[in-house]
Amino acid sequence: GRGRCEMSPTLVYLLLLSFGVAAIAMGTPVAYVLWLTVGAALLVFFGWPPGGQFDWEAGLSPVLSAMAEIPYEFAHSYELASIPLYVALGHIAERAGITTAIFTAAQSLLARVHGGLGMATVLGCGGFSAISGSSIACAATMGKLTVPEMIRRGYPPSMATGLVAAGGTLGALIPPSIPFIIFAILAEHSVGQLLLAGLAPGLLTLVGYLIAVAVWARIKMPAGAEARDLPDGRRIMRDCRAAWPALALAVIIIGGIFWGFFTTIQAAAVSVLVATIIGWARRTLTFSETIEALRAAATQTTVLFV
């Protein structure tokens, strides 16, 4: 029914904003905080006319309608279907050894370069980003692979973890960037054009990271401080050949969208199929691992959509 409140709507909004910030600072999941604070703000907006009294019934109906229809319509967007496909691609490529092959090849090529392991980490993050589009997945996967190795080779823990954290941000720029896909949908912009627009900044950022690592290694790491396992030419060729699936997937995604062979969703679907076939053909991916990758992708997609 109708009730009387002495506070103004502006004061209520400020209190809700303060509550939301405090709840997030205390570790409450962001999705729950947004649902609660936005729902309460909409209730005040619809149920409290300027100069009038607060009416629960007038505010509750549009709030419930908005909370039901808007998330449903957003989650059923056609363009949004590419996100679970790219997430699945990242998990399948990881289990098939496609993403780790990028780092291994870069590590072999840069083994004789001072700071080469750190540069290989950045290149590995860039290659992973060109497949998965997820900064979190990139940092998590490359962190498990590269941080112990860098620490073992004499890198300070802060530098090792910082390289992975910085390299992981490439996933937000290099296509297929999941944040770009979401932004394009919200802004009603072309997903393909926005993804391609992030390619040049992403590559420039990657080059900047490589330069920063080279300068840091020259200043902070004395010559010979980085323990090295120098590969011969045969091993370098073998490691580079093993990384061809990653290059093929990047060409399918970036080249396919750029030259108009695929839409964003088609490029994602074809890439998932190609990665699965490559993993099965090379016997680096089993059927059970494929199911596990799809299950992990479903979980990550659900959390992302929420």
Side-chain angles (χ1 to χ4, degrees), residues 2-82:
R2 295 181 179 275
R4 186 174 183 82
C5 184
E6 299 299 331
M7 293 189 296
S8 67
T10 302
L11 180 58
V12 174
Y13 293 142
L14 291 176
L15 290 175
L16 289 173
L17 177 62
S18 302
F19 167 78
V21 173
I24 293 175
M26 291 187 294
T28 307
V30 176
Y32 301 150
V33 175
L34 289 176
W35 276 335
L36 182 59
T37 55
V38 172
L42 289 175
L43 185 65
V44 173
F45 178 80
F46 288 112
W48 199 339
Q53 297 180 350
F54 182 67
D55 188 348
W56 281 94
E57 295 178 356
L60 189 59
S61 178
V63 168
L64 293 178
S65 177
M67 294 296 235
E69 293 179 5
I70 295 176
Y72 180 85
E73 292 175 357
F74 178 78
H76 284 73
S77 168
Y78 176 75
E79 291 81 5
L80 207 64
S82 60

Side-chain angles (χ1 to χ4, degrees), residues 32 58 68 85 97 103 107 112-113 135 138 147 182 202 206 218 266:
Y32 301 150
L85 290 172
F103 170 72
Q107 187 179 7
R112 290 173 171 79
V113 178
S135 298
C138 175
V147 171
I182 296 176
L206 187 148
R218 187 175 184 85
Q266 291 170 346

Side-chain angles (χ1 to χ4, degrees), residues 82-110:
S82 60
I83 291 181
L85 290 172
Y86 284 121
V87 172
L89 175 61
H91 285 282
I92 291 174
E94 176 190 358
R95 284 167 171 78
I98 296 175
T99 54
T100 56
I102 305 171
F103 170 72
T104 303
Q107 187 179 7
S108 294
L109 286 171
L110 298 171

Side-chain angles (χ1 to χ4, degrees), residues 112-304:
R112 290 173 171 79
V113 178
H114 196 45
L117 184 58
M119 297 180 188
T121 299
V122 174
L123 289 173
C125 290
F128 191 99
S129 299
I131 295 176
S132 70
S134 172
S135 298
I136 297 176
C138 175
T141 302
M142 297 304 297
K144 293 185 294 184
L145 177 67
T146 63
V147 171
E149 181 71 10
M150 282 191 286
I151 293 176
R152 186 178 70 84
R153 297 281 191 93
Y155 282 72
S158 58
M159 183 62 178
T161 54
L163 274 176
V164 175
T169 61
L170 296 172
L173 290 173
I174 298 178
S177 168
I178 291 178
F180 272 14
I181 295 175
I182 296 176
F183 179 82
I185 295 172
L186 294 176
E188 297 182 355
H189 192 73
S190 170
V191 176
Q193 291 180 2
L194 193 60
L195 289 179
L196 293 176
L199 180 59
L203 294 178
L204 288 174
T205 303
L206 187 148
V207 173
Y209 287 161
L210 293 176
I211 295 174
V213 174
V215 172
W216 175 87
R218 187 175 184 85
I219 296 175
K220 295 291 186 179
M221 293 187 67
E226 182 182 10
R228 301 179 185 180
D229 179 19
L230 299 179
D232 55 18
R234 182 177 299 179
R235 178 181 164 186
I236 293 175
M237 291 298 296
R238 184 183 69 247
D239 292 340
C240 290
R241 283 197 302 266
W244 72 264
L247 179 61
L249 292 175
V251 170
I252 291 174
I253 297 171
I254 300 175
I257 295 175
F258 179 79
W259 284 298
F261 293 119
F262 305 118
T263 64
T264 306
I265 300 177
Q266 291 170 346
V270 171
S271 299
V272 171
L273 181 61
V274 170
T276 304
I277 293 175
I278 290 175
W280 287 354
R282 301 173 72 187
R283 297 183 179 179
T284 55
L285 181 69
T286 63
F287 180 77
S288 61
E289 288 175 333
T290 305
I291 298 300
E292 291 176 4
L294 296 177
R295 183 181 293 112
T299 302
Q300 184 179 346
T301 302
T302 303
V303 173
L304 182 62

